[in-house]
Amino acid sequence: MQKNWMSLAISGLSTVALSAVLVACGGDNDEPVASVPDADKFFNRTATFTVCSQIGASCEADAVTAAEIVAASVDGMTLVYSNSPKGEIGFVDISDVKVPKPLGALAMGGEPTSVTVLGAHAIVAVNTSPSFTAPSGKLVVVDIATRKMVAEIALPGQPDSIARSKDGKYLAVAIENERDEDLGDGAPPQLPGGSLVIVDVAGAPGTWKTRTVDLAGIATLYPNDPEPEYVAINDDNVAVVTLQENNHIALVDLASGKLTRHFSAGAVNLTQVDLTDAPRPNQVSFTESQPNRLREPDGVTWLSRTRFATANEGDLNGGSRGFTVWNSEGNVVWDAGNALEHLVARVGHYNDKRSDAKGNEPENVGFGRFDGTDYLFVASERSSVVSVYDMSRPDVPAFKQVLPTALAPEGVLAIPSRNLLIVASEADDRASLVRSSLNIYQYQTAAPAYPTIQSADRADGTPIPWAALSGLAAAPTGSIVYAIDDSFFRGNRIFEIDTASKPAQLKREIRITDPDRRIAALAALLPAAKDANAFDATDLAAMVNADGTVNLDPEGISLASGGGFWIASEGAGTVGEAARPVLSANLVFKLTATGVVQDIIQLPADVNAKQQRFGFEGIAESNGKLVVAFQRAWAGETRPRIGVYDLTARTWQFMFYPLDAVASPNGGWVGLSDITAMGNNQFMLVERDNQGGPDARIKRLYRIDLSGQPDGAVLTKTLVRDLLPDLKAPGGNAVEKIEGLARLANGEWIIVNDNDGVDDGANSGETLLIRLGQLSGG
């Protein structure tokens, strides 16, 4: 029943209509309904603050930084976040929510794990443990205005989460005493066990007293090693504490320091989920079940005096891939089931590499009342989204919207007084183009800006899973475009997307198939192998699955004038390089409208002999010819090729494209992506560097004219548009990589980025289908 409500909401039922249905159904809520749905207001991102900008305005330092947990000053104008890798807290001025400004950082003398704000002070939990077996910690009290330490309070172990009571009387600190993940495969128990510390806030910070609540012996899994993870406090000054590894939850009355209730977090029976992480390339199929999956909750937040919600991240043997609403007596009020898994797949954020683990991995939850409406926010660490739920009916959350974040969101902070939501994304790796960020959203009367694409359902009621869009082609009339998924997935598909909808609707998936074994027939045309790394019949066989679907690397797509599609498949590997042996050639496929391979076009042998791993990217048909863009220069050449194939004569001609010089402070390379025919032998190309976020410099559209160009000519290009302002306009880090370009029948241009299949640890999954409008010179 719960899953059906979620399906209705996600499929587009309005918030007002959904609320009416839920009210008619009633529920067991024991509190008056004080929250009213608002169908006209949504959260939209206004800016993203990259933590590395505290070091340098252009983020040119390689040092690892992070924003894990975030708090705000009482007036909501200053953010304070914990930066564990650098052992400091950072400050950000958000008086202008569109232009957040760095205010510097303060060293903590240890590893800050969490932060909250109490009056004029930031209270920081700091881990000072010399080892896992000798845990220690402290609370550091910081004056927010002066950004100076005021006091330190000793803690009896390694702290994780900290919370403050609304009335300012208490702080609660979860003393986790985390285990050594490398010891005995990280299995508990590993002593000493953790506890809960209550801080009585009275007088000057230096005089605050602490009390310790023993949590040992209450859980059945590892009773001597409770390992409390997260804590939250309700208006009655009752703390709820999650014991993640123990799959247990405890309630503590802060005034008396007594444990008032504790209970198991239980298990969930998951259905219609993907539990298989197939070797690359991957495939997502919501056809599996997982009974009795332990919730193992992580983040927790109170929704009222008698309701709280947990993010069921999982750890040792659990992870239900969702979240749960509980009452204070320990009963499950509502559980998300598979709803989050389906949601992230619908919007292109499904991380298939986590299918065999914990899926989207909900890490944390937050709560706030905005203009009379209660909202729950669920941060999915592995899919890098925050799901927003209307809690007007506390017992039946109603899906409101989904928000994109930088990679690995954890800290969630609602600031209702300023209509703001702040989410801290902790992952940071400049080499992988990942920068830790504070995501800033505003509650406003406006339509949701994200997602830009969402999919319809398959026949079984599960969403069409998609990601890694590479290449676009527009239908000759109307608003339909076609996209493809690249080599990240096996069983390649063509997607039909209606851009007239907002968000654009991915309506249909077309599998590419080879029932006539045309790929295998290429073996007879292969030259004799010169070395063990040469492309051979075995490699061809790996390109076709037992069911006839194919494993290509489709990078470019074009509609064929006689019907069907042209697909440019990029080759894999570099000739003569043992480290990157050639596993496939660069090939052009002619497909029917239903995706069946009709013909395969190869490059000339002398060109194949120069193959580098950066090959075919875009393809366009025009005036009886195919024009193919190579991404980068091949062996012995200084510029990438533009290949022109005469469909009648079946002959190739090649020109060379002059790339812009590398301009990013992070180095990298510059290459070509998609190509689109404009008529009269003119074509539009995407030229980009391989950089993202603050390091991105070259994301541009150039026009070329092939009229009268001889074989071997170096082309002239004309700049039509710098895409960086378009990529920064949605308020996030500039995405990499733009691989799709098309012009609709009405002359409007659109672009889309390839999110690399939400590859774990390297891509947040954010996909931007951006409308550029009519282009001057285009």
Side-chain angles (χ1 to χ4, degrees), residues 693-713:
D695 282 314
R697 292 294 183 275
I698 297 174
K699 315 289 181 186
R700 297 167 184 163
L701 295 183
Y702 282 101
R703 186 181 71 249
I704 59 173
D705 190 335
L706 300 184
S707 300
Q709 295 292 340
D711 193 68

Side-chain angles (χ1 to χ4, degrees), residues 163-434:
R164 64 163 176 82
S165 64
K166 187 176 181 180
D167 60 13
K169 292 182 178 180
Y170 306 104
L171 297 168
V173 186
I175 303 297
E176 182 179 12
N177 290 350
E178 63 185 2
R179 66 194 189 282
D180 185 348
E181 299 280 0
D182 296 325
L183 180 63
D185 293 326
Q190 292 183 24
L191 301 182
S195 59
L196 180 73
V197 168
I198 302 171
V199 181
D200 294 305
V201 179
T207 66
W208 295 349
K209 305 299 182 182
T210 63
R211 293 175 281 146
T212 299
V213 180
D214 187 5
L215 298 175
I218 65 173
T220 57
L221 291 175
Y222 314 105
N224 295 325
D225 189 10
E227 212 166 324
E229 190 80 24
Y230 218 96
V231 60
I233 305 172
N234 71 3
D235 288 357
D236 290 331
N237 288 336
V238 174
V240 56
V241 187
T242 57
L243 282 58
Q244 185 173 11
E245 288 75 16
N246 278 278
N247 194 44
H248 212 76
I249 297 171
L251 300 179
V252 176
D253 177 75
L254 296 181
S256 65
K258 292 183 178 180
L259 179 71
T260 59
R261 191 178 299 275
H262 66 88
F263 44 89
S264 169
V268 175
N269 293 321
L270 291 172
T271 60
Q272 289 188 309
V273 290
D274 183 6
L275 303 175
T276 306
D277 176 18
R280 286 193 70 179
N282 308 285
Q283 194 169 43
V284 180
S285 181
F286 294 121
T287 58
E288 297 175 274
S289 298
Q290 192 171 55
N292 300 315
R293 186 67 167 174
L294 300 183
R295 289 187 173 93
E296 293 185 348
D298 189 356
V300 62
T301 186
W302 286 96
L303 308 175
S304 67
R305 283 182 163 87
T306 63
R307 295 285 191 275
F308 62 89
T310 58
N312 304 325
E313 179 198 22
D315 191 0
L316 299 172
N317 303 296
S320 65
R321 306 172 186 234
F323 66 96
T324 304
V325 176
W326 307 80
N327 64 27
S328 54
E329 299 198 355
N331 300 314
V332 173
V333 173
W334 188 91
D335 193 274
N338 60 21
L340 285 186
E341 292 285 272
H342 290 184
L343 169 62
V344 296
R346 189 180 301 281
V347 298
H349 281 254
Y350 188 84
N351 187 329
D352 190 43
K353 286 192 173 182
R354 302 297 298 176
S355 287
D356 62 337
K358 293 166 283 185
N360 73 94
E361 205 162 309
E363 174 88 0
N364 203 0
V365 283
F367 176 77
R369 173 169 291 186
F370 289 79
D371 291 350
T373 305
D374 289 345
Y375 290 109
L376 174 66
F377 309 97
V378 185
S380 296
E381 180 182 9
R382 302 293 181 169
S383 290
S384 298
V385 295
V386 170
S387 305
V388 184
Y389 291 84
D390 184 330
M391 300 301 295
S392 298
R393 292 286 297 175
D395 294 350
V396 190
F399 175 76
K400 175 78 170 180
Q401 66 180 122
V402 63
L403 300 169
T405 73
L407 191 67
E410 177 155 347
V412 181
L413 173 69
I415 311 177
S417 63
R418 295 195 63 204
N419 279 330
L420 297 179
L421 172 69
I422 313 296
V423 176
S425 293
E426 63 177 326
D428 191 271
D429 183 352
R430 192 183 187 205
S432 299
L433 313 183
V434 173

